[in-house]
Amino acid sequence: MPDRIYNFSAGPATLPYSVLQQTAKDVVNFQDSGMGIVEISHRSPWFAAVIAEAESLLRTLLAIPDNYKVLFLQGGASSQFFMVPMNLLSPGKKAAYLNTGVWSKKAIAEARLFGEVVVPYSSEAAGFKRVPTPDEYQVDPEAEYLYFVSNNTIYGTQYQEMPTAPMPLVADMSSDFLSRPVDVARFGLIFAGAQKNLGPAGVTVVIIREDLLDRAPATVPTMLRYKTHAEKGSMFNTPPCFAVYMVREVLKWLKALGGVQAMREINEGKAGLLYQAIDKTPFYRGHAEVGSRSRMNVTFNLPTAELEKKFALEAANAGMAGLKGHSSVGGCRASIYNAMPREGVEQLARFMRDFAARNAAV
Amino acid sequence: MPDRIYNFSAGPATLPYSVLQQTAKDVVNFQDSGMGIVEISHRSPWFAAVIAEAESLLRTLLAIPDNYKVLFLQGGASSQFFMVPMNLLSPGKKAAYLNTGVWSKKAIAEARLFGEVVVPYSSEAAGFKRVPTPDEYQVDPEAEYLYFVSNNTIYGTQYQEMPTAPMPLVADMSSDFLSRPVDVARFGLIFAGAQKNLGPAGVTVVIIREDLLDRAPATVPTMLRYKTHAEKGSMFNTPPCFAVYMVREVLKWLKALGGVQAMREINEGKAGLLYQAIDKTPFYRGHAEVGSRSRMNVTFNLPTAELEKKFALEAANAGMAGLKGHSSVGGCRASIYNAMPREGVEQLARFMRDFAARNAAV
């Protein structure tokens, strides 16, 4: 293999090469301390500066209002599936969930352990090929929050217009966090596992409006209360220091590149190249409905499963890995998160045209 | 600072230098894949081999019986404080806890959310300067498990003789895991946060006897059940891949060095050097009772708080960092985990003798 390939995996996913190179230095000797970043006490001034800068960069990049806390937690997005209702769904109350794929279904199942769940919209019967527009559902006004998944990695769908509701919005943005601007003030809580756009697996960012911190019942264990971590600046216990460090490096990279405004344009450009390649020939069929297409995960099918297998294999041999679709839907998937260079997408688009020409019904 | 200093921090702590150097390579390009270890899919053959080898090495090093599962979880030891009673303490039943410091106290507080807790022994009134011998307490036979902390980082105490009880033992071994042989078959559950002897912060190892996996009530969220992770080989959701990778590297290092038998001798030798330096002059006073002294954290006082401050500062300037004691007990503390080279301990012992000679009442 060459030193560097294009990695189209859905997550853990490609990260900026310059960040990897800096990490390689810092893992052995961080800021001339004579210690690696993985060895440094989380109570040291070195690490205090790392986590403070990570938070500060996030606040700047997303223009997070002052009445929101930023938390760095462990346990992945999957832990948020239960932490959200455990903290926000008061006993005897209900919550509303938009069901647009496997990850919202899992979140719904966990929420049902804590209270009533209403589902004002589901695209399950339609194979999760779409996400709704706001006029397609009505939220029970008694619901304490409206939960949705902003981007669905498996199906390649993404809200281009965010849901609206009179109650706090809760969003799982794991797979498109920082890929575009977001009006944080419209949300009660946003969470994102790091391993798509933000850093390595092992840390989850939670952005929570302060007034929601006090809702958890007294029976909730200390570590599972958002308030515990909010009050201690995510340092109630030892945080996943290395992952937080890498998040900081990725955020520095994103800021230097122009932030989320610039990133949205870059991402729309990259996704456009692949959707053009799909739409240009009947050889490829996009999985998601056109209006719901994701800028992060481009899902498509070829005429046969055999050709799909051949496609992923030939692409991998040409230095483009991870193009096999998720086992639950099959087909192919190109995950093109923030750190995927445009050159990688251009190479894939060329490969797609070439592969279609070579393999279209002969 | 020189490229490498001696880091006596209590955790995150020093790691083997050879492991850091290997990590620096793998973080950019893992096994010639053209991708860094932080970028590789957890479902890839590369990572499957990493986590399988980490588990296999652990099983070999500790001779873990086949009827035990090995899990790699997130959330730190602090999450085990509630996961243990949430999974093992049946409603209406009781659990017994030996109280030997801050970490057992925190675990007791979380367990009380789930059932009755009995405390057959506490050294709190004695300033947590000791751990008990088995004849010093009697465990309520109705307790479902007996919980203890094998090594107490803050006070520098450690069980040299493990507790015995007719019910399953549950041990927090975060700060002396793999520092010596352990008869796993005597335990129901062992857990250890990685950031002392095992790797970077961000992964916690849980070793659990299989028959205990079925105890959790149906109300426990999916991610908080040991069984969920046991059934999926710690891959129910995305694991903290980088931390698991580093654990594997540290375990390879430990195995090559002779395993936990050899490590026990090395650790006893290192600790002996420091306790000799303490006992040789009244200038230093060991914090822990002699029979309870830890081989991992050597805690001691100097004649005055001013001298303690001067000691830590001069040592840091001489390339020995992290010697300030925990804020709750003051004094000095040298954490000498597996990866602390004997040379570092020898240098510290020389410094202690020299510092005493220069600063003893003149």
Side-chain angles (χ1 to χ4, degrees):
Chain A
M1 276 294 151
D3 278 357
R4 187 74 178 157
I5 63 162
Y6 292 118
N7 172 12
F8 291 93
S9 290
T14 194
L15 291 169
Y17 198 54
S18 60
V19 167
L20 298 182
Q21 290 171 314
Q22 183 63 45
T23 303
K25 287 177 190 164
D26 291 341
V27 88
V28 177
N29 188 355
F30 182 66
Q31 289 184 354
D32 197 30
S33 65
M35 299 178 273
I37 183 66
V38 286
E39 304 177 297
I40 282 177
S41 171
H42 60 298
R43 303 290 176 200
S44 66
W46 290 289
F47 187 73
V50 166
I51 197 165
E53 190 181 0
E55 176 176 341
S56 162
L57 283 163
L58 256 183
R59 286 189 175 277
T60 303
L61 286 163
L62 287 178
I64 300 174
D66 287 346
N67 63 325
Y68 284 74
K69 293 288 189 184
V70 175
L71 312 179
F72 297 98
L73 304 183
Q74 294 187 57
S78 294
S79 292
Q80 296 309 308
F81 298 169
F82 72 82
M83 275 185 76
V84 163
M86 186 180 254
N87 280 270
L88 302 187
L89 180 49
S90 313
K93 298 294 181 78
K94 61 180 77 165
Y97 281 68
L98 303 179
N99 183 22
T100 57
V102 161
W103 305 114
S104 55
K105 277 188 79 170
K106 288 190 180 219
I108 289 167
E110 299 303 312
R112 291 205 160 117
L113 295 170
F114 298 92
E116 189 186 343
V117 174
V118 292
V119 180
Y121 177 87
S122 173
S123 54
E124 184 161 15
F128 293 129
K129 291 186 176 188
R130 65 193 311 276
V131 293
T133 50
D135 58 315
E136 292 185 90
Y137 55 86
Q138 280 205 313
V139 184
D140 185 329
E142 288 183 19
E144 293 206 290
Y145 58 83
L146 173 64
Y147 180 108
F148 70 101
V149 181
S150 58
N151 181 79
N152 298 278
T153 47
I154 295 176
Y155 319 94
T157 63
Q158 184 180 30
Y159 289 87
Q160 297 311 328
E161 185 180 358
M162 290 289 187
T164 50
M167 62 285 297
L169 293 176
V170 174
D172 175 356
M173 293 195 186
S174 293
S175 55
D176 65 356
F177 193 58
L178 295 174
S179 71
R180 56 181 175 176
V182 163
D183 181 5
V184 174
R186 290 185 49 214
F187 292 82
L189 189 151
I190 293 169
F191 67 86
Q195 64 267 22
K196 321 288 191 184
N197 272 332
L198 201 53
V203 66
T204 304
V205 169
V206 173
I207 302 170
I208 181 170
R209 216 175 61 203
E210 280 174 353
D211 63 291
L212 298 175
L213 291 171
D214 286 313
R215 282 211 202 170
T219 50
V220 174
T222 309
M223 280 291 289
L224 299 180
R225 303 167 165 275
Y226 292 122
K227 191 170 189 174
T228 298
H229 304 286
E231 287 181 342
K232 297 288 188 180
S234 303
M235 299 269 268
F236 172 76
N237 70 324
T238 312
C241 302
F242 175 81
V244 173
Y245 154 80
M246 279 207 78
V247 166
R248 183 189 72 160
E249 296 305 306
V250 170
L251 294 176
K252 282 157 67 176
W253 168 86
L254 178 56
K255 188 180 174 199
L257 205 137
V260 289
Q261 313 275 354
M263 190 47 80
R264 171 171 55 187
E265 287 175 38
I266 293 169
N267 285 331
E268 287 181 356
K270 290 190 296 184
L273 291 174
L274 297 187
Y275 287 120
Q276 276 168 30
I278 288 170
D279 292 339
K280 201 187 253 171
T281 154
F283 186 78
Y284 299 108
R285 285 167 291 122
H287 180 79
E289 287 186 13
V290 172
S292 296
R293 279 177 167 177
S294 167
R295 273 71 165 141
M296 296 280 99
N297 312 95
V298 178
T299 50
F300 54 98
N301 285 86
L302 276 63
T304 66
E306 288 67 37
L307 280 169
E308 286 163 350
K309 200 171 166 185
K310 189 180 174 198
F311 178 92
L313 191 67
E314 283 191 18
N317 289 337
M320 292 171 286
L323 286 162
K324 192 171 166 291
H326 189 274
S327 53
S328 64
V329 300
C332 297
R333 172 174 57 177
S335 296
I336 49 174
Y337 299 119
N338 287 358
M340 170 58 67
R342 185 176 167 98
E343 294 71 34
V345 178
E346 288 170 346
Q347 184 177 317
L348 176 58
R350 280 195 302 275
F351 176 81
M352 286 174 72
R353 285 191 293 271
D354 177 60
F355 189 88
R358 283 189 284 111
N359 292 279
V362 272
Chain B
M1 276 294 151
D3 278 356
R4 187 75 178 154
I5 64 163
Y6 292 117
N7 173 11
F8 291 93
S9 290
T14 194
L15 290 169
Y17 197 54
S18 60
V19 168
L20 298 182
Q21 291 171 313
Q22 183 63 46
T23 303
K25 288 178 191 163
D26 291 342
V27 88
V28 177
N29 187 355
F30 182 65
Q31 290 184 355
D32 196 29
S33 65
M35 299 179 273
I37 183 68
V38 286
E39 303 177 298
I40 282 178
S41 171
H42 60 299
R43 304 289 177 200
S44 67
W46 290 289
F47 187 73
V50 167
I51 197 165
E53 189 180 0
E55 176 175 342
S56 161
L57 283 163
L58 255 183
R59 287 190 175 277
T60 302
L61 285 163
L62 287 177
I64 300 173
D66 287 344
N67 62 325
Y68 284 74
K69 293 287 189 184
V70 174
L71 313 179
F72 298 97
L73 304 183
Q74 294 188 57
S78 293
S79 292
Q80 295 309 307
F81 298 170
F82 72 82
M83 275 185 76
V84 163
M86 185 180 255
N87 280 270
L88 302 187
L89 180 48
S90 313
K93 298 294 182 80
K94 60 179 76 166
Y97 281 67
L98 302 177
N99 182 22
T100 57
V102 162
W103 306 114
S104 55
K105 277 188 80 169
K106 288 191 180 219
I108 289 167
E110 299 303 313
R112 289 205 163 117
L113 295 171
F114 298 92
E116 188 185 345
V117 174
V118 293
V119 180
Y121 177 88
S122 173
S123 54
E124 184 160 18
F128 293 130
K129 292 187 174 187
R130 65 194 310 278
V131 294
T133 50
D135 58 314
E136 291 184 89
Y137 55 87
Q138 281 205 312
V139 184
D140 186 328
E142 287 183 18
E144 292 206 291
Y145 58 83
L146 173 64
Y147 180 107
F148 70 101
V149 181
S150 58
N151 182 79
N152 298 276
T153 46
I154 295 176
Y155 319 94
T157 64
Q158 183 180 32
Y159 288 87
Q160 297 310 327
E161 185 180 357
M162 290 289 187
T164 50
M167 63 284 298
L169 293 176
V170 174
D172 175 355
M173 292 194 186
S174 293
S175 55
D176 66 355
F177 192 59
L178 295 174
S179 71
R180 56 181 176 178
V182 163
D183 181 5
V184 174
R186 290 185 49 214
F187 292 82
L189 188 151
I190 293 169
F191 68 86
Q195 66 266 25
K196 322 288 192 184
N197 272 331
L198 201 52
V203 65
T204 305
V205 169
V206 173
I207 302 170
I208 182 169
R209 217 175 61 203
E210 279 174 352
D211 62 291
L212 298 175
L213 292 171
D214 286 313
R215 282 210 202 172
T219 51
V220 174
T222 309
M223 279 292 288
L224 299 179
R225 302 168 166 274
Y226 291 123
K227 191 171 188 175
T228 298
H229 304 285
E231 286 180 342
K232 296 288 188 179
S234 302
M235 299 269 267
F236 173 75
N237 69 325
T238 313
C241 301
F242 175 80
V244 172
Y245 155 79
M246 279 208 77
V247 166
R248 183 189 73 160
E249 295 305 306
V250 170
L251 294 176
K252 280 156 70 175
W253 167 85
L254 178 55
K255 188 180 174 198
L257 205 137
V260 290
Q261 312 276 354
M263 190 47 80
R264 170 170 58 187
E265 287 176 37
I266 293 168
N267 285 330
E268 288 182 354
K270 290 190 296 185
L273 291 173
L274 296 187
Y275 287 119
Q276 277 169 28
I278 289 169
D279 292 339
K280 202 187 248 173
T281 155
F283 185 79
Y284 299 107
R285 284 166 292 120
H287 179 80
E289 287 187 14
V290 172
S292 294
R293 280 177 166 175
S294 167
R295 272 71 165 142
M296 296 280 99
N297 311 95
V298 178
T299 51
F300 54 97
N301 286 85
L302 274 63
T304 66
E306 288 68 36
L307 280 169
E308 286 164 350
K309 200 171 166 185
K310 188 179 174 198
F311 178 92
L313 192 67
E314 284 191 17
N317 289 335
M320 293 171 286
L323 286 162
K324 191 170 168 291
H326 189 273
S327 52
S328 64
V329 301
C332 298
R333 172 174 57 177
S335 296
I336 50 174
Y337 300 118
N338 287 358
M340 169 57 67
R342 185 177 169 98
E343 295 70 33
V345 178
E346 288 170 346
Q347 184 177 316
L348 176 58
R350 280 195 302 274
F351 176 82
M352 286 174 72
R353 284 191 293 271
D354 177 60
F355 189 89
R358 284 189 284 113
N359 292 279
V362 271

